[in-house]
Amino acid sequence: MAFNDLFLRAARLESIERTPVWMMRQAGRYMSEYRAIREKHGFLEMCYNPELAVEVSMQPVDLVGVDAAIMFSDILVVFPGMGLDLEFKSGVGPIINNPVRTMADIQKLGLSDPIDDTGYVMETIKILRHELENKVPLIGFAGAPFTLASYAVEGRGTRDYENCKALMWGDPVAWDSLMNKFTETVIAYLCAQIDAGAQVVQMFDSWVGYVAPRDYERFVLPYSQRVLAAVKAHGDKVVPDGGVPVIHFANGATSMLDLVQKAGGDIVGVDWRLDMKKAVELIDPKFGIQGNIDPVALFAPDAALEEMVVEILEAVGTRPGHIFNLGHGIHKTSDPEKARTMIRLVHEHSERIRAGV
Ligand code: CP3
């Protein structure tokens, strides 16, 4: 089989005959093949074991037909190296047993060394590149400083972020120190992933949609900006021929897309809360766009799913740089067959639209 470079060409804003598709959280619980492995191993154990991580990363490529692979891991794996005691509790999700709430707590945090602390991720990437040689490109990823900080301060996923915001407003110096530690850690982590062979990287700011624009501008944007600029510069050095495209996904933040664009990167990820027609108007043509069908569209009948796919593709038209994705992660009860149908529909209709028929 010939290497499918659609995704890489789209990410570099080059011309494409068909729109590439991948799905956030594509390596996961909606697949019975994932669940079969997960039954025998803990989630973090799978992240720490390159052989298992490679196996589940390959599943959506081989069985669902996505146009890119994403390494199987988690944004929180940088925590142990920094001194944060991470655990995944079934039915609850990630828990940090020693959350940071004060300057004294923050001063005790170290930086995660990408090789000493997360060398298994680099190993996973190296093996994946080998496995993917004649298939599709590989995406690396990290959490954004804000989303990581929110877990470190709250100690678990929340909806309100009261501890996090109390720290941000109450002790801006401590907040700056915490965000600097995550910024440095994420820069080193993503640069090491590029060195190991990641061909595109995505920064997930999953919970930034809970922050008001005024706070985003002051307490989040400068740090995201630093990560995206440093990683982009590193990619340009390592891959002089085209660089390593950087995707910035700020979930729930489409009401402040002006600020999100100021953060930089090459491709702006949009969730499903914004109509693609508006996204195309609001996002500067120098950026590619990733998104943005409602993840729950995979529960719709085929005809309704097709209508939603076509609406998005027609809104984008022939604009370069579109990567089709769900507006957020695939739900764990989704039917893989529906995902295959969605991918087929994106390919068929985008080929027609991009050919101008
Ligand atoms: O996209 C992919 O397929 C790659 C794998 C991936 C996972 N997590 C695997 C995973 C990626 C990119 C992530 C990133 C991640 N992790 C994010 C950002 C992405 C997003 O959705 O915005 C966040 C916020 C996390 C933290 C995290 N990890 C949460 C909130 C959960 C869910 C907890 C739950 O049980 O519902 C996880 C666990 C997780 N990460 C699973 C997978 C496959 C499920 C774990 C299991 O098998 O039990």
Side-chain angles (χ1 to χ4, degrees):
M1 212 171 87
F3 183 68
N4 166 3
D5 69 346
L6 262 186
F7 171 81
L8 265 188
R9 281 189 280 136
R12 291 183 176 146
L13 272 58
E14 292 168 12
S15 85
I16 42 166
E17 58 284 4
R18 194 162 77 240
T19 304
V21 193
W22 73 281
M23 299 180 295
M24 287 187 270
R25 295 280 181 95
Q26 67 188 18
R29 289 171 288 192
Y30 73 104
M31 294 184 76
S32 58
E33 294 82 359
Y34 173 90
R35 294 194 302 269
I37 296 175
R38 179 70 175 83
E39 254 166 40
K40 295 191 225 119
H41 304 276
F43 172 67
L44 275 177
E45 182 194 345
M46 285 169 66
C47 292
Y48 295 157
N49 180 326
E51 208 178 306
L52 294 174
V54 166
E55 188 172 348
V56 294
S57 305
M58 292 303 294
Q59 288 174 346
V61 175
D62 293 333
L63 303 169
V64 187
V66 287
D67 293 299
I70 180 162
M71 64 172 189
F72 176 81
S73 183
D74 198 85
I75 57 167
L76 302 178
V77 298
V78 295
F79 277 18
M82 299 176 77
L84 291 160
D85 179 10
L86 172 68
E87 185 190 342
F88 277 82
K89 273 209 179 112
S90 70
V92 183
I95 304 277
I96 290 83
N97 292 310
N98 56 343
V100 293
R101 301 276 162 85
T102 63
M103 187 57 148
D105 297 338
I106 293 163
Q107 276 167 342
K108 282 191 223 127
L109 290 184
L111 301 183
S112 172
D113 182 276
I115 307 300
D116 294 346
D117 297 312
T118 48
Y120 55 88
V121 170
M122 310 311 150
E123 185 61 24
T124 298
I125 291 175
K126 285 182 194 153
I127 305 171
L128 272 173
R129 274 301 297 280
H130 183 74
E131 297 269 322
L132 288 164
E133 207 166 341
N134 297 313
K135 294 183 175 173
V136 294
L138 176 64
I139 307 168
F141 69 89
F146 173 79
T147 288
L148 295 174
S150 77
Y151 278 105
V153 175
E154 300 293 342
R156 58 176 65 214
T158 91
R159 294 277 128 174
D160 300 307
Y161 301 92
E162 57 261 54
N163 296 298
C164 185
K165 290 182 181 180
L167 180 70
M168 184 169 99
W169 293 320
D171 193 345
V173 175
W175 177 257
D176 177 61
S177 167
L178 180 65
M179 288 294 276
N180 277 327
K181 287 189 180 180
F182 281 116
T183 300
E184 294 310 317
T185 288
V186 172
I187 289 173
Y189 185 51
L190 286 176
C191 290
Q193 290 183 27
I194 290 173
D195 293 339
Q199 289 156 296
V200 171
V201 293
Q202 171 157 325
M203 184 171 87
F204 284 93
D205 215 349
S206 303
W207 310 131
V208 78
Y210 291 89
V211 174
R214 69 178 289 279
D215 294 318
Y216 183 83
E217 192 161 15
R218 171 157 177 213
F219 295 112
V220 179
L221 175 61
Y223 309 94
S224 288
Q225 232 165 11
R226 259 165 60 201
V227 173
L228 295 168
V231 173
K232 173 117 202 76
H234 189 74
D236 285 343
K237 234 178 10 195
V238 176
V239 184
D241 182 20
V244 174
V246 180
I247 306 171
H248 178 205
F249 177 57
N251 180 40
T254 52
S255 61
M256 46 185 183
L257 265 182
D258 50 337
L259 296 173
V260 169
Q261 292 180 72
K262 281 193 189 161
D266 300 295
I267 295 146
V268 177
V270 278
D271 64 59
W272 74 98
R273 299 166 189 91
L274 183 71
D275 194 275
M276 187 53 93
K277 282 199 212 82
K278 291 209 182 104
V280 166
E281 275 169 33
L282 292 170
I283 296 172
D284 190 301
K286 73 177 184 199
F287 292 105
I289 302 178
Q290 176 172 281
N292 75 340
I293 197 166
D294 183 343
V296 180
L298 294 180
F299 297 83
D302 287 2
L305 174 64
E306 182 163 16
E307 199 176 307
M308 289 184 254
V309 165
V310 169
E311 271 170 24
I312 291 170
L313 292 173
E314 283 183 343
V316 176
T318 54
R319 175 180 166 139
H322 183 214
I323 294 165
F324 197 100
N325 202 320
L326 308 177
H328 200 182
I330 185 168
H331 288 238
K332 64 180 175 193
T333 51
S334 302
D335 179 356
E337 190 49 43
K338 256 310 176 206
R340 279 190 283 271
T341 301
M342 181 189 78
I343 293 168
R344 176 178 55 76
L345 290 168
V346 173
H347 285 165
E348 280 175 14
H349 285 288
S350 64
E351 201 157 270
R352 172 179 62 76
I353 291 166
R354 292 203 172 254
V357 254

